[in-house]
Structures are given as structure tokens and as C-alpha cells.
Amino acid sequence: MADILLKVEDLQVAYGGIRAVKGISFEVREGELVLSLIHI
């Protein structure tokens, strides 16, 4: 299995009082291509 290059756990993003993202977790491993549409 490929090495983990990036690990995110329980990501949360809020804009003022509006929660846009709640509890996203993921791993990116060597050789993977990931597209994120989240603007932080």
C-alpha cells in the first residue's frame, strides 16, 4: 500500500454562522490525484 502524503480528520468550515463543511475526513496516498472544490 502507498504511503500517506496528506491526512485530514474532522475538517469543519464555517462562514459567519453558516456551517459549510462538517466532519470531512480523508487521506491522500502517493500516486493518487485528488480534486477539492472546497474553498477555505
Side-chain angles (χ1 to χ4, degrees), residues 29-40:
R29 296 183 179 273
E30 186 175 354
E32 293 181 336
L33 179 62
V34 177
L35 171 66
S36 172
L37 300 178
I38 300 171
H39 175 70
I40 299 176

Side-chain angles (χ1 to χ4, degrees), residues 3-20:
D3 293 334
I4 297 172
L5 301 178
L6 174 66
K7 183 174 185 175
V8 176
E9 294 181 343
D10 196 29
L11 176 67
Q12 298 185 35
V13 178
Y15 298 98
I18 300 172
R19 181 173 289 161

